Amino acid sequence: MINYDEVIAFLEKESSATETVSRFKQAYQTFSETGTWQPAYEVRVAGWQQLDGVMLLEPNQTLENDYQVHITATNERSLRELLLAFPRRQIGRFHLTEKWIEDRISDIIEGDSIQTDTGSFYQGIKRGSRTKSEQRTVLKRKDATVSHLRKLTSLKGKIEHSQYIVEGTLLVERAITDGFPIESLLYTPEYVATADGKAFLGRAVEENLSVYQVSTGVMGSITTTRPVPSIIASVHLNYPNFLSAAGHLNFNFGQRCILLIAEDIGNPDNLGMTLRTADAAGVSAVLLSDTGAHPFHKNCIRAARGAVGRLPFFQTQSITKAIAALRASGWCVLGATAGTENELYATEFSHPIAIVVGNENTGLSAEARESCTALVRIPMASGQSSLNVGVATGVLLYAFIQRHRI
């Protein structure tokens, strides 16, 4: 249930588009008096413990689009949540009021920037739901669509095309429900033979996604997973650098943000569990080093349970440079290690805060430890000296959330 008074208060505080906010306030006043929206706004919100983002969708019948779209977001996660919530098949004219939003919008919305007398806009449609889609049976392994998805089984192909593959009923259906920018969807006759599968594919077609029926043999030529999954999907995901060429933060944040930094986590299952935990804890984004497991690894994607695609990811070649840039921007950066006397629950910290976790076997590098604002350890009873990195991440994040609950 949306609290429109809270939405208006948020917009008045955070939005620079004062005319847009005034028009929405007037429409809400009319709605409060008559029960009817004029104009017929649709409102999407983002945030967990507090409101972090609002998207106003104003139906538009006069231009070559379906909605005039106004987005106000305070951090990377809230923006991504709002863009994922934009309906498929619909063309939006997005009013761009901040440069960082303009830099991120093409990750989810495929379109073009437009300059007019009244300002800068971005007009586009959610990736994968273009006005022209395909629904057909693929018989050959050399089909262009199959060949493209086969390229996505290698890390090189995933990075080159900014796409990864999700496999199996649970993850594919969750990707549809969460609004992921799905480029194509492949299924076997066994999948569509079930009532649930048939209903789901009908929904995918209604959302204008390209869907292809393939044999189990063709599906097996794409993925090494056994038994062969009955449904897979390719999803677009950009993975930008955390720092600009000049060494500045390429990352937008608010005062209450929490950033997870993962340095050299080697096991993709562990990385996936860590990302799933970070997603559940509501982190604003995840920064990954260029060593260790990659978030596009299929084991990571499976273990992350939808966090890959929902969370904003950033990469860096130098964790120490990233930490230095964060500290210069007012961040408190805490490194998790067993090699310190500072206990987690006795450590003071300030927002915004970044938590750094390291390799399962060797922990944080010496350079990372030296770069942090402070180091903390999780207290443990005798018998164990460490925790699985995913478990440790959960303990750390929820400890800070509990102590500074909004």
Side-chain angles (χ1 to χ4, degrees):
M1 205 56 188
I2 295 177
N3 183 329
Y4 289 104
D5 291 322
E6 184 181 9
V7 166
I8 289 172
F10 173 83
L11 291 173
E12 288 181 327
K13 178 182 178 183
E14 302 291 347
S15 178
S16 60
T18 54
E19 185 176 329
T20 298
V21 176
S22 296
R23 191 165 68 251
F24 177 69
K25 286 177 63 178
Q26 182 59 50
Y28 176 57
Q29 183 176 345
T30 301
F31 170 76
S32 300
E33 296 170 353
T34 66
T36 303
W37 283 101
Q38 291 294 337
Y41 281 100
E42 297 176 31
V43 181
R44 305 287 189 272
V45 297
W48 177 30
Q49 295 186 351
Q50 66 175 9
L51 189 60
D52 286 324
V54 171
M55 178 168 65
L56 303 179
L57 303 172
E58 187 176 348
N60 181 48
Q61 305 298 327
T62 59
L63 300 175
E64 295 179 354
N65 53 72
D66 300 291
Y67 292 105
Q68 298 283 341
V69 187
H70 305 270
I71 292 181
T72 302
T74 61
N75 58 60
E76 299 281 351
R77 179 170 183 147
S78 60
L79 174 62
R80 188 167 184 87
E81 286 182 3
L82 294 173
L83 291 174
L84 289 176
F86 186 74
R88 301 187 202 273
R89 304 189 68 169
Q90 307 302 307
I91 298 174
R93 173 171 281 196
F94 294 79
H95 294 244
L96 302 178
T97 56
E98 296 185 68
K99 180 63 168 59
W100 75 277
I101 295 179
E102 182 178 354
D103 291 340
R104 299 286 181 262
I105 194 168
S106 62
D107 294 350
I108 309 294
I109 309 297
E110 186 176 28
D112 298 294
S113 296
I114 301 171
Q115 297 292 332
T116 71
D117 294 339
T118 57
S120 176
F121 303 92
Y122 184 89
Q123 185 158 299
I125 190 169
K126 181 175 282 187
R127 288 183 175 276
S129 65
R130 305 168 188 87
T131 53
K132 184 179 180 180
S133 60
E134 288 189 320
Q135 292 88 42
R136 61 183 175 90
T137 299
V138 174
L139 300 175
K140 298 181 179 180
R141 298 185 181 190
K142 292 184 179 180
D143 181 271
T145 297
V146 173
S147 296
H148 173 71
L149 264 71
R150 196 177 292 118
K151 293 177 183 177
L152 302 183
T153 60
S154 72
L155 180 57
K156 178 182 177 182
K158 293 170 184 173
I159 294 173
E160 179 181 348
H161 296 283
S162 297
Q163 293 180 33
Y164 66 95
I165 292 178
V166 292
E167 301 180 344
T169 301
L170 175 66
L171 292 184
V172 173
E173 293 184 359
R174 180 173 290 183
I176 294 278
T177 300
D178 289 349
F180 286 9
I182 294 174
E183 298 287 358
S184 58
L185 189 153
L186 275 67
Y187 65 94
T188 64
E190 291 76 15
Y191 182 80
V192 75
T194 67
D196 288 344
K198 186 175 182 179
F200 175 75
L201 290 172
R203 174 183 167 191
V205 171
E206 287 178 0
E207 296 196 14
N208 219 43
L209 296 174
S210 292
V211 298
Y212 306 90
Q213 180 172 306
V214 300
S215 68
T216 301
V218 171
M219 187 74 85
S221 74
I222 298 172
T223 173
T224 58
T225 300
R226 297 295 183 269
V228 176
S230 60
I231 186 168
I232 67 173
S234 61
V235 182
H236 181 90
L237 180 62
N238 195 22
Y239 189 39
N241 289 315
F242 190 70
L243 299 176
S244 68
H248 304 305
L249 292 179
N250 177 34
F251 172 71
N252 191 78
F253 61 92
Q255 185 61 30
R256 303 294 293 185
C257 279
I258 297 180
L259 174 70
L260 176 68
I261 303 176
E263 184 192 36
D264 193 28
I265 296 179
N267 185 300
D269 293 284
N270 282 341
L271 178 59
M273 184 165 61
T274 301
L275 297 176
R276 180 181 180 182
T277 301
D279 187 22
V283 301
S284 304
V286 177
L287 171 60
L288 298 162
S289 63
D290 63 349
T291 57
H294 198 280
F296 286 173
H297 191 288
K298 72 174 185 178
N299 287 16
C300 177
I301 293 166
R302 181 179 60 230
R305 289 296 186 96
V308 178
R310 192 165 41 243
L311 278 176
F313 289 156
F314 292 83
Q315 61 182 325
T316 183
Q317 294 181 343
S318 173
I319 289 291
T320 56
K321 288 182 180 179
I323 292 175
L326 286 167
R327 294 186 63 179
S329 299
W331 283 70
C332 175
V333 183
L334 298 182
T337 177
T340 181
E341 294 300 318
N342 300 323
E343 287 199 358
L344 167 64
Y345 302 106
T347 301
E348 295 297 323
F349 67 97
S350 59
H351 280 286
I353 183 171
I355 311 298
V356 193
V357 295
N359 181 270
E360 302 93 323
N361 298 316
T362 59
L364 294 180
S365 66
E367 294 80 8
R369 292 197 303 270
E370 292 171 1
S371 301
C372 291
T373 308
L375 301 175
V376 296
R377 67 178 178 88
I378 299 172
M380 302 180 202
S382 59
Q384 292 291 339
S385 59
S386 65
L387 295 172
N388 173 277
V389 64
V391 174
T393 299
V395 173
L396 291 160
L397 291 175
Y398 278 97
F400 292 119
I401 290 169
Q402 181 63 35
R403 287 168 61 190
H404 282 249
R405 183 174 294 276
I406 297 169

